[in-house]
Amino acid sequence: MRLTVAQALLRFLANQWSERDGVERRLIAGVFGIFGHGNVAGIGQALAERGAGTGDALPYYLARNEQAMVHTAVGYARTLDRLSTFACTTSIGPGATNLVTGAALATINRIPVLLLPGDVFATRVANPVLQELEDPRSFDVSVNDALRPVSRFFDRINRPEQLPSALLAAMRVLTDPAETGAVTLALPQDVQAEAWDWPEELFARRVWHVARPVPEPAALERARTLLRSSRRPLIVAGGGVIYSGACAELAEFAEEYGVPVAETQAGKGSLRHDHPCNVGAIGHTGTAAANTLAREADLVIGIGTRYSDFTTASRTLFGQARFLNVNVAAFDAAKHAGTMLVADAREALRVLGPDGWRAAWTFERQERAVLEGFTQAVVLDAVNDAVGEDGVVVNAAGSMPGDLHRAWRAAGPHSYHVEYGYSCMGYEIAGGLGVKLAAPEREVFVLVGDGSYLMMAQEIATAVQEGVKLIVVLVDNHGFASIGGLSEAVGAQRLGTAYRARGASGGLDGELLPVDLAANAASLGADVLRAGDRAELVSALVKAREATRTTVVYVRPEPGSGVGASAWWDVPVAEVAENPEAREARVRYEEAKREQRIYL
């Protein structure tokens, strides 16, 4: 079958399927792309020729920013438990390097995305071409090499003959729960347009089985022995519980053996918020209930977690506890000198509990806080009520993830979608678009601060273009609320954290900037509602739910609205400083460091 490399690539992708537990779905649901000279004549032509969504062709979606389309693919893939994702194509140059942040986010969060950036000429006959890096050490280097360290698989297709093996390797990584992340196939623009005679077998329907590795018997017995010796175990539920579809098994295990369950950001919703074994969020942004248990536990059972510093409170939280780590990835299962149980979370939970064993301690769940005024916490509480049982909340970096982790009442898996592996500002709206594409039947509430909004709001236009409804709650704090608080805590005096004009002192301490973000959202095609107190916010959220178009609800809460941290986080403080605030912060820092330990 004589096709160009780009045509063959798309024909192959359209016939790839994933399968787990007997359920099949398209592995590549479609293509997001922004075209330039590096991909318009290759992948662009191939998409146009195949109808871009008609028949068996892959649907094409126009994004406004290359980083944003990776975030959308991540939101989609996470919602579907990593069993389906999108391909993202760009030109060479800025379009390709814009992918790097999204690729890092995908890889850190263990979420599959397929990146197809254009590249410089493989033949080099026209060198140097527009946007070529020209590295004097080698003609084989292009800006796409910046994607190597943030990709789980990277290959450059310099000849048509190289495509089949690269495609098969790419699909293997995308469907491997232990290895998945960003997968990059760099495509020189001349090679994309080059024709070759392909074997028809390359385009046959191919189903990739997503494995559920079972525990190795000897490792299972070691884990059971550790459990039998434990009196005060605590489960830390991570994202792997949800991706595995193990929430029912987690609830059954916790109930049968009397083990409290604390949740990471990615694992929140593993148990319903009102489940008697759910003690809430763990770590720096954790609840008092969960962190008290963490300090007293003799065994931490980590299930599907990678133990970020927020989860462990920078290794100050778990006292002298031992670790039992259940994870599909040996890399994560080995952390903190833990007893390793390399297995799928669902399969492990079904067989993990030893006969006759039960935890020997009592615990209490976190009570709902009393809220007053129109603070950010009040805004989030009102949104929580509006989301209800069937909605999804989406958020990322800033001050809101901490408040959400601690106080949000999650109805179950996939009702809580906070990106905190990479803590990437700008993820919210693009990620929310991906969630909605994956679950069109659910109401998707995107919570975004003004800092993140100004970094990446343009995918509102994509949602409007596609007729995809989002409810965006835009929280205007006049700057970077989270980092402002941290800046003050470490003696950096909130430098560069407020959106203010340059004042008479020469610093950025003048009047608040006269920026109307609600008007900006309207200019992108969204309907806009403004709310000045809780009653108005509740009314606006009702109207937004009833709407059929993307709606932005704009609020300006009272300042200083965070709910505070209940455990430490290691952010180094200047060892010498002129201002007394920094010196005092250094004293507190050194005191906290004394509680930090290496888990051995």
Side-chain angles (χ1 to χ4, degrees):
M1 186 178 295
R2 191 161 183 81
L3 300 168
T4 68
V5 166
Q7 293 162 0
L9 167 68
L10 294 180
R11 188 178 291 266
F12 173 89
L13 294 179
N15 286 294
Q16 305 307 298
W17 296 73
S18 70
E19 176 272 322
R20 188 175 72 175
D21 301 334
V23 178
E24 296 181 3
R25 64 175 73 239
R26 282 194 179 275
L27 177 56
I28 306 299
V31 179
F32 274 93
I34 297 176
F35 296 113
H37 69 281
N39 65 341
V40 66
I43 291 179
Q45 186 277 335
L47 281 167
E49 185 172 87
R50 285 180 62 79
T54 61
D56 66 344
L58 295 171
Y60 165 72
Y61 298 87
L62 170 63
R64 269 65 188 175
N65 178 278
E66 293 86 357
Q67 179 189 147
M69 62 191 184
V70 186
H71 295 336
T72 300
V74 167
Y76 182 90
R78 178 174 166 180
T79 302
L80 296 178
D81 293 330
R82 309 188 294 190
L83 298 172
S84 181
T85 189
F86 277 89
C88 301
T89 180
T90 73
S91 183
I92 185 62
T97 52
N98 279 351
L99 295 174
V100 174
T101 297
L105 181 147
T107 295
I108 286 172
N109 285 285
R110 279 68 158 169
I111 305 294
V113 294
L114 178 60
L115 309 181
L116 304 172
D119 212 324
V120 296
F121 281 49
T123 58
R124 304 178 183 172
V125 295
N127 288 18
V129 298
L130 181 64
Q131 298 175 331
E132 183 170 352
L133 182 63
E134 281 202 286
D135 189 322
R137 297 168 297 176
S138 172
F139 290 133
D140 191 42
V141 175
S142 78
V143 295
N144 284 340
D145 288 275
L147 286 158
R148 287 184 184 270
V150 293
S151 298
R152 294 294 288 172
F153 179 82
F154 178 99
D155 200 11
R156 180 176 283 114
I157 312 303
N158 287 309
R159 293 294 307 140
E161 297 94 322
Q162 297 171 350
L163 183 65
S165 60
L167 286 173
L168 295 176
M171 298 305 107
R172 177 192 65 79
V173 175
L174 288 173
T175 55
D176 185 339
E179 293 293 328
T180 197
V183 168
T184 300
L185 297 180
L187 300 165
Q189 51 196 289
D190 53 342
V191 176
Q192 286 185 47
E194 188 174 345
W196 201 60
D197 293 322
W198 307 93
E200 292 192 10
E201 293 82 359
L202 180 64
F203 309 117
R205 190 178 192 274
R206 193 178 301 267
V207 180
W208 297 84
H209 173 68
V210 179
R212 286 191 180 277
V214 298
E216 186 237 340
L220 180 59
E221 186 52 38
R222 289 193 293 270
R224 287 173 171 168
T225 299
L226 191 58
L227 285 172
R228 291 188 191 101
S229 68
S230 171
R231 305 290 289 170
R232 303 185 306 280
L234 171 69
I235 291 173
V236 175
V241 174
I242 295 174
Y243 301 144
S244 173
C247 297
E249 285 75 13
L250 175 64
E252 183 178 348
F253 183 94
E255 292 164 9
E256 181 175 355
Y257 299 106
V259 183
V261 177
E263 298 171 319
T264 70
Q265 281 282 14
K268 192 170 177 70
S270 298
L271 293 185
R272 280 184 56 90
H273 69 93
D274 53 2
H275 190 283
C277 291
N278 188 342
V279 294
I282 189 75
H284 175 63
T285 54
T287 65
N291 286 347
T292 298
L293 293 174
R295 295 182 179 99
E296 298 174 358
D298 60 9
L299 178 66
V300 175
I301 309 170
I303 306 177
T305 177
R306 63 188 189 91
Y307 289 117
S308 76
D309 62 340
F310 260 51
T311 299
T312 68
S314 299
R315 300 191 183 188
T316 62
L317 185 59
F318 294 117
Q320 300 303 312
R322 294 173 294 174
F323 290 82
L324 168 59
N325 299 327
V326 179
N327 207 294
V328 290
F331 178 82
D332 290 318
K335 288 178 176 176
H336 304 323
T339 295
M340 299 169 60
L341 193 61
V342 179
D344 173 79
R346 192 189 75 177
E347 299 305 304
L349 283 166
R350 287 179 173 180
V351 298
L352 179 59
D355 294 335
W357 172 77
R358 186 173 173 84
W361 65 342
T362 59
F363 51 88
E364 297 180 358
R365 296 172 54 249
Q366 188 77 4
E367 295 298 323
R368 186 172 176 177
V370 177
L371 301 172
E372 298 178 348
F374 194 53
T375 65
Q376 179 171 285
V378 170
V379 169
L380 301 188
D381 190 67
V383 175
N384 203 161
D385 290 340
V387 169
E389 294 289 312
D390 61 338
V392 184
V393 64
V394 180
N395 186 240
S399 60
M400 281 188 276
D403 292 355
L404 290 168
H405 190 212
R406 189 176 299 107
W408 190 266
R409 304 177 300 282
H414 303 303
S415 66
Y416 181 89
H417 186 113
V418 173
E419 191 290 302
Y420 215 59
Y422 202 41
S423 183
C424 184
M425 297 180 69
Y427 174 86
E428 297 90 338
I429 295 171
L433 175 59
V435 174
K436 186 66 174 181
L437 289 172
E441 74 283 0
R442 303 186 75 167
E443 292 285 1
V444 176
F445 290 75
V446 175
L447 282 164
V448 60
D450 51 320
S452 277
Y453 181 89
L454 285 169
M455 288 190 178
M456 196 166 291
Q458 60 268 50
E459 299 313 309
I460 288 177
T462 302
V464 171
Q465 180 181 45
E466 294 293 339
V468 175
K469 178 198 170 186
L470 300 175
I471 299 173
V472 179
V473 180
L474 174 52
V475 181
D476 192 347
N477 292 309
H478 301 298
F480 304 125
S482 174
I483 207 67
L486 179 61
S487 175
E488 186 173 36
V490 299
Q493 301 172 311
R494 291 185 175 263
L495 176 67
T497 62
Y499 290 154
R500 292 181 176 274
R502 195 165 296 282
S505 68
L508 298 175
D509 56 0
E511 297 294 322
L512 291 172
L513 297 181
V515 176
D516 191 338
L517 299 182
N520 176 266
S523 76
L524 294 173
D527 293 339
V528 176
L529 302 169
R530 297 174 185 255
D533 56 32
R534 177 160 188 156
E536 291 180 358
L537 175 58
V538 169
S539 176
L541 291 170
V542 170
K543 292 178 182 178
R545 255 193 175 269
E546 295 171 347
T548 58
R549 303 181 68 253
T550 289
T551 302
V552 173
V553 179
Y554 176 81
V555 296
R556 293 173 64 177
E558 301 164 9
S561 53
V563 298
S566 60
W568 186 61
W569 183 38
D570 192 345
V571 177
V573 178
E575 194 167 357
V576 295
E578 293 183 4
N579 69 74
E581 294 83 5
R583 294 197 297 270
E584 292 169 6
R586 179 68 191 191
V587 172
R588 294 191 298 270
Y589 178 74
E590 291 176 353
E591 290 175 351
K593 287 286 284 185
R594 297 190 188 104
E595 302 298 320
Q596 198 171 36
R597 72 183 183 93
I598 297 175
Y599 299 119
L600 297 173

